[in-house]
Amino acid sequence: MLGVIDLPTYLAGLVLIVLLPGPNSLYVLSVAARRGVRAGYTAAAGVWCGDTVLMTLSAAGVASLLQANAVLFGIVKYAGAGYLTWLAIGMMRAALGMWRARRETVVEEAADAGAADERPYRRAFVISLLNPKAILFFVAFFVQFVDPGYAYPALSFVVLGAFAQFASFLYLSALIFSGTKLADAFRRRRRLSAGATSAAGALFLGFAVKLSLAGA
């Protein structure tokens, strides 16, 4: 179909890959839990747009350029790791404020004030873009299912990318609605909210370390 081969295997692999936790999905869940469904989908839109850009760059050959140029790969890699670290520090500082707060109303007001200044679409978009491994993944994974004899391989990439985005839409939608249900529990339990925020910050810091240690 349009130069795509072994579609069932691709779809099976895609489901497993989408379900793996990463900074994008964790950020969308965090936003949905704190600010509701609308903000969650705003963040998800940033993820989808970022992934679309990466897929387009992969099809255009940027993945090969990054793989061949160690300096360029390193610049993008460390920029991405730095951004994730900055997000992690922000989450941990927010969690520290929650632990120190003595009244639940103070916690809620601080959370609302922080949420007002946050731009979930932009943050999610940047998180997606500053990941050179994602570009390499897209080209390495997609190319296995493209017929080398097909006259329009770019069209094959579009088909594979459309399936990937649809799977991402279903997964992030599930996270968004799960996040809004968790929000009520977080508001009632200060320690639970602070602990979850601390865990999210630690995970983002782990993502930053993993990215900084990754090779091209």
Side-chain angles (χ1 to χ4, degrees), residues 10-22 25 51 137-138 141 163-172 175:
Y10 168 76
L11 294 177
L14 182 62
V15 170
L16 294 176
I17 292 166
V18 168
L19 291 177
L20 289 175
S25 57
D51 285 348
F137 160 75
F138 282 131
F141 184 62
F163 278 114
Q165 292 287 49
F166 181 67
S168 177
F169 172 80
L170 294 178
Y171 178 56
L172 292 183
L175 290 182

Side-chain angles (χ1 to χ4, degrees), residues 1-203:
M1 180 186 72
L2 299 177
V4 176
I5 58 177
D6 203 3
L7 184 60
T9 301
Y10 168 76
L11 294 177
L14 182 62
V15 170
L16 294 176
I17 292 166
V18 168
L19 291 177
L20 289 175
N24 290 340
S25 57
L26 181 61
Y27 180 68
V28 171
L29 177 61
S30 172
V31 170
R34 289 182 288 109
R35 300 180 58 184
V37 172
R38 182 174 181 178
Y41 271 110
T42 299
V47 173
W48 296 325
C49 289
D51 285 348
T52 298
V53 172
L54 294 183
M55 291 177 192
T56 303
L57 293 175
S58 299
V62 173
S64 298
L65 177 61
L66 284 177
Q67 199 166 25
N69 192 322
V71 175
L72 179 59
F73 180 88
I75 291 173
V76 179
K77 178 178 69 173
Y78 289 116
Y83 188 72
L84 291 178
T85 300
W86 180 72
L87 290 179
I89 293 174
M91 290 180 179
M92 291 179 176
R93 289 179 60 187
L96 182 61
M98 292 177 186
W99 285 113
R100 290 178 174 176
R102 296 182 178 180
R103 295 180 180 179
E104 186 175 351
T105 53
V106 175
V107 175
E108 291 179 351
E109 289 174 0
D112 291 341
D117 294 333
E118 186 178 5
R119 296 177 176 83
Y121 174 86
R122 187 178 68 180
R123 285 198 175 188
F125 184 72
V126 173
I127 291 173
S128 296
L129 287 185
L130 291 180
N131 187 2
K133 299 298 290 185
I135 302 178
L136 298 178
F137 160 75
F138 282 131
V139 72
F141 184 62
F142 283 7
V143 74
Q144 301 175 54
F145 304 96
V146 175
D147 183 358
Y150 188 64
Y152 307 101
L155 183 58
S156 303
F157 270 85
V158 170
V159 173
L160 295 173
F163 278 114
Q165 292 287 49
F166 181 67
S168 177
F169 172 80
L170 294 178
Y171 178 56
L172 292 183
S173 293
L175 290 182
I176 288 169
F177 286 101
S178 298
T180 54
K181 291 181 180 179
L182 290 174
D184 290 336
F186 289 158
R187 293 191 184 98
R188 290 194 301 267
R189 297 177 176 86
R190 186 177 61 197
R191 291 183 179 179
L192 176 61
S193 179
T197 304
S198 299
L203 282 175

